[in-house]
Amino acid sequence: MGSNPMGLIVALDSPDRGFEGLVEDLCGVVDGFKLGLPLLMGRGPGYAAELRSRCREGIWIADLKLADIGHVMKLTTSLVVDHVDAVIAHGFVGVKGALGELKEFLESRGRKLIVVASMSHPGAEEVYDKALPLILDAIEELGPWGVVAPATRPHVTTSIRERLGPRVAIVSPGVGAQGAEPGAALCAGADYEIVGRLIVSSPDPRSAALAVREAQRRRLASCGRG
Ligand code: NUP
């Protein structure tokens, strides 16, 4: 990866509002959309198809945060697999009988697997960071298209990039509402920053997205990746 050091993916999570207009406004401005569980459960998995019909560009990700046996992860994924490009699963469930089966299923449908390596919230230090070496062992064995790494703790993202090398895509949440500044994760080695509330809750999401892009560009120039 590393070919798109300005990546911006918008997280759509709230089940209480329709995102059709927002997706149309941001189409072509951002690099993709990530659909969260509250949205997909509240509106139904078919809502992914409805939203996607409003923007055929970019990467569409279902953030299912799967953590189950392979059989059940495949059943869950089958509800949205036709409408998205990639699905997010947790890494701690391991490869055999779990992520290995899920990856095979997704690849048979031409879809990508993204595995959570670590998370963006403070509690990730309690368990996730301690388990990181083991989770990265599983990720190395599995070879997914992408991993999730925290924008809020750039040193963790850098260590994940160093361990996994340049070929895996790193997507990094935590920008804006959770405190990380735009571009910080890109400087730390991520390919895409995931931004939800900072853009989605803005009265003018398109301007907010353009402002994030500009802030990413400035930050990247200052860290020498721009
Ligand atoms: O570690 C993670 N942290 C995180 O916030 C992994 C995630 N997938 N996310 C998701 O990123 C979260 O579910 C939400 O959809 C988005 C962040 O949204 P916001 O804090 O920018 O509003």
Side-chain angles (χ1 to χ4, degrees):
M1 282 295 123
S3 53
N4 179 17
M6 280 272 293
L8 173 57
I9 293 171
V10 175
L12 309 178
D13 287 310
S14 173
D16 302 326
R17 60 181 274 194
F19 284 115
E20 293 86 347
L22 181 137
V23 165
E24 285 172 2
D25 280 354
L26 295 182
C27 192
V29 172
V30 301
D31 299 299
F33 297 92
K34 185 182 75 64
L35 309 177
L37 266 184
L39 182 71
L40 291 171
M41 289 182 72
R43 300 243 162 193
Y47 193 56
E50 169 60 31
L51 287 182
R52 197 171 193 175
S53 73
R54 310 297 176 118
C55 182
R56 298 277 174 204
E57 297 173 31
I59 185 166
W60 284 79
I61 302 170
D63 191 354
L64 302 177
K65 297 266 181 18
L66 298 163
D68 212 319
I69 59 169
H71 171 65
V72 173
M73 292 199 289
K74 286 192 285 182
L75 285 177
T76 310
T77 300
S78 68
L79 298 172
V80 290
V81 71
D82 290 337
H83 315 315
V84 295
D85 303 300
V87 168
I88 295 180
H90 274 292
F92 56 75
V93 291
V95 178
K96 292 180 201 67
L99 293 173
E101 291 181 12
L102 179 64
K103 183 182 174 223
E104 199 178 293
F105 172 69
L106 284 166
E107 287 184 350
S108 76
R109 306 294 289 264
R111 304 298 192 258
K112 299 170 166 69
L113 175 60
I114 300 173
V115 176
V116 180
S118 185
M119 295 190 69
S120 59
H121 61 298
E125 289 182 9
E126 296 162 17
V127 176
Y128 244 115
D129 281 2
K130 291 175 186 155
L132 186 60
L134 295 175
I135 292 173
L136 291 177
D137 284 348
I139 288 173
E140 260 191 333
E141 180 187 338
L142 182 71
W145 176 81
V147 300
V148 175
T152 43
R153 289 171 302 122
H155 63 283
V156 176
T157 296
T158 299
S159 70
I160 291 169
R161 170 61 79 204
E162 283 169 359
R163 168 78 191 270
L164 297 179
R167 288 184 52 194
V168 71
I170 297 183
V171 301
S172 221
V175 175
Q178 295 178 55
E181 289 178 11
L186 301 179
C187 284
D191 299 287
Y192 297 94
E193 289 182 331
I194 293 170
V195 182
R197 288 163 286 179
L198 180 65
I199 292 175
V200 167
S201 303
S202 159
D204 181 353
R206 187 182 166 91
S207 297
L210 289 168
V212 169
R213 276 224 177 277
E214 176 55 18
Q216 286 179 320
R217 193 193 60 71
R218 268 187 273 112
R219 184 76 176 234
L220 277 167
S222 74
C223 75
R225 266 196 95 200

